[in-house]
Amino acid sequence: MNTRHPGLNLGAHHGAADDAAEVEIFGFWVFMMSDAVLFGLLMATYVSFLGATHGGPGPQTLFDLRSITVQTVLLLTSSLTMGLAQLAMKHEEGTRRIVVWLLVSLGLGGAFLALEMHDFLSMIDKGGVPQASGFLSAYWALVPLHGLHVASAGLWMLAILGQMAWYGVDDGVKTGLLRLGVLWHFLDVVWIGIFTIVFVGGLA
């Protein structure tokens, strides 16, 4: 199979959209690498401050591993459904199928954010605010930033759905959905790092 860029390739039968994707997706991957560096630095900072609770609440008091596990399942499942939406686009299975998988992805992402927000409020109730300690400052710099990325990706998905309603699945929608897919899967990879380092590592 001829692969023109990392990730899902549309294929030659998509014509100009496949050609445009070769440049646009590569550029977007480079942009994502800058985000990877940022998240890597924040994770390293969190590890450095893990024991710096300064007498305040720590991971054992603040983290709800059951809720975090459910959030992980929701986000990873949304990555699967995003992939199904992209495959439906690649194989031209119809606009309705693309929209259905995108809406399922959006719903799963929204459920993830709702649970995460519930956990944030629960932590605040227990005194787990950013200014309480170095550990909590590092936590609040990292985990909500990931959530903000997921929320932004959800808004982007709504914009693409609007484009599809107005223009159909044109070349702009195709390359936009490919870039969104890169971001969506990237955020899943980052979350796996957060789940492992922040939550499992914090509770170990």
Side-chain angles (χ1 to χ4, degrees), residues 48-133:
S48 300
F49 283 89
L50 188 55
T53 55
H54 198 59
Q60 300 289 348
T61 305
L62 298 173
F63 294 165
D64 179 355
L65 193 56
R66 180 180 300 178
S67 172
I68 295 159
T69 301
V70 173
Q71 291 171 46
T72 303
V73 171
L74 288 169
L75 203 59
L76 294 183
T77 305
S78 76
S79 203
L80 170 66
T81 55
M82 170 61 79
L84 292 172
Q86 292 182 298
L87 285 173
M89 176 181 68
K90 174 186 172 85
H91 297 295
E92 300 178 325
E93 295 174 356
T95 302
R96 178 175 296 181
R97 183 163 295 192
I98 300 171
V99 169
V100 166
W101 286 125
L102 287 180
L103 289 175
V104 172
S105 304
L106 189 62
L108 291 167
F112 165 84
L113 288 173
L115 272 178
E116 187 173 57
M117 188 60 67
H118 175 270
D119 285 357
F120 289 160
L121 294 174
S122 175
M123 287 180 63
I124 292 171
D125 284 343
K126 295 173 184 173
V129 292
Q131 63 271 28
S133 65

